[in-house]
Amino acid sequence: DVKVTQSSRYLVKRTGEKVFLECVQDMDHENMFWYRQDPGLGLRLIYFSYDVKMKEKGDIPEGYSVSREKKERFSLILESASTNQTSMYLCASSRLQGQIYTFGSGTRLTVV
Amino acid sequence: AQSVTQLGSHVSVSEGALVLLRCNYSSSVPPYLFWYVQYPNQGLQLLLKYTSAATLVKGINGFEAEFKKSETSFHLTKPSAHMSDAAEYFCAVSDRDSSASKIIFGSGTRLSIRP
């Protein structure tokens, strides 16, 4: 089974901190995605990547950046965390031409 | 631009009753359509996918969905609800011409099952 592993299930950070959310997949998928999930808003795409060192902005990239130095790892970075970034963050991966995403279990981030 | 609209943020049915979760899409070209399910404290998993073969698509756990182009709908159904079906369900759309396979998700419908 494809596994997408997010390094933390729960995180609490202070306003202004730099936050790293890590995601690793083990099936050599080309595409990787970061979403945030908020009640009533569904999943909103923050950034995605379809190759190492490649990144594309999603629908809500403001306040975030990403890094993909290796194919299996896609990191989401909050340069200066703010309370409105309190959310559930979901990572997903898929094959280049495939539409079947495999999701991680999510990281619930609270910024205080 | 593509989008999906899920009608009803919360649906409650009795155990054994029909489940109907509604989804309408907007797309300029025939899209790929999906239903994903999210159980508490878990990520999303694929229930079923429409790719332009049969318009009635069968998925896991007894769920199915019918693609109706004239109605731009892709509603999810299950004949008889089970307590284990309680979860959040997301309809999603993807442009079949997109090389990056980007998927747009709806806002989700929480399904509750009454004993």
Side-chain angles (χ1 to χ4, degrees):
Chain A
D1 276 356
V2 179
K3 283 194 85 171
V4 177
T5 303
Q6 294 184 232
S7 54
S8 303
R9 289 300 301 272
Y10 300 95
L11 274 180
V12 180
K13 297 292 181 179
R14 295 192 182 277
T15 301
E17 275 193 78
K18 190 170 186 176
V19 181
F20 292 86
L21 302 183
E22 305 288 347
C23 176
V24 177
Q25 52 95 2
D26 66 0
M27 280 299 288
D28 203 36
H29 281 175
E30 291 84 3
N31 296 334
M32 295 189 76
F33 307 83
W34 275 106
Y35 288 87
R36 64 176 282 176
Q37 181 181 11
D38 299 289
L41 297 177
L43 278 72
R44 293 179 292 167
L45 182 63
I46 305 171
Y47 268 96
F48 65 101
S49 168
Y50 50 88
D51 201 354
V52 176
K53 298 191 185 295
M54 302 296 290
K55 60 184 179 183
E56 295 278 347
K57 291 181 180 179
D59 300 316
I60 53 164
E62 296 79 17
Y64 303 94
S65 62
V66 291
S67 173
R68 193 159 180 206
E69 296 296 319
K70 294 184 177 181
K71 191 174 185 179
E72 67 270 18
R73 185 180 297 270
F74 192 37
S75 303
L76 180 69
I77 304 157
L78 287 66
E79 296 290 342
S80 178
S82 63
T83 55
N84 63 12
Q85 292 178 309
T86 291
S87 186
M88 170 70 84
Y89 290 87
L90 290 167
C91 176
S93 71
S94 73
R95 296 224 172 271
L96 185 61
Q97 296 296 332
Q99 279 77 26
I100 297 177
Y101 285 16
T102 300
F103 280 86
S105 298
T107 296
R108 187 168 294 281
L109 173 67
T110 302
V111 182
V112 298
Chain B
Q2 295 176 314
S3 65
V4 287
T5 301
Q6 291 185 241
L7 302 175
S9 59
H10 184 212
V11 171
S12 180
V13 302
S14 297
E15 191 174 17
L18 171 72
V19 174
L20 171 61
L21 304 183
R22 299 178 186 274
C23 172
N24 288 90
Y25 70 90
S26 171
S27 176
S28 57
V29 298
Y32 292 127
L33 292 162
F34 312 83
W35 277 98
Y36 281 81
V37 60
Q38 185 181 32
Y39 298 104
N41 298 314
Q42 295 185 26
L44 279 70
Q45 64 181 85
L46 183 69
L47 265 182
L48 50 81
K49 171 184 175 182
Y50 167 75
T51 59
S52 82
T55 56
L56 182 63
V57 182
K58 293 188 184 300
I60 61 172
N61 301 336
F63 284 93
E64 61 183 37
E66 186 172 9
F67 173 70
K68 291 188 176 180
K69 186 178 179 181
S70 61
E71 299 176 7
T72 60
S73 69
F74 191 57
H75 301 332
L76 181 71
T77 60
K78 182 174 180 177
S80 177
H82 191 272
M83 296 300 291
S84 61
D85 295 327
E88 187 148 23
Y89 293 79
F90 293 91
C91 183
V93 62
S94 174
D95 180 354
R96 63 179 59 234
D97 292 329
S98 169
S99 61
S101 306
K102 193 171 69 168
I103 293 182
I104 306 299
F105 289 86
S107 56
T109 297
R110 183 166 299 280
L111 176 65
S112 300
I113 311 296
R114 302 187 298 271

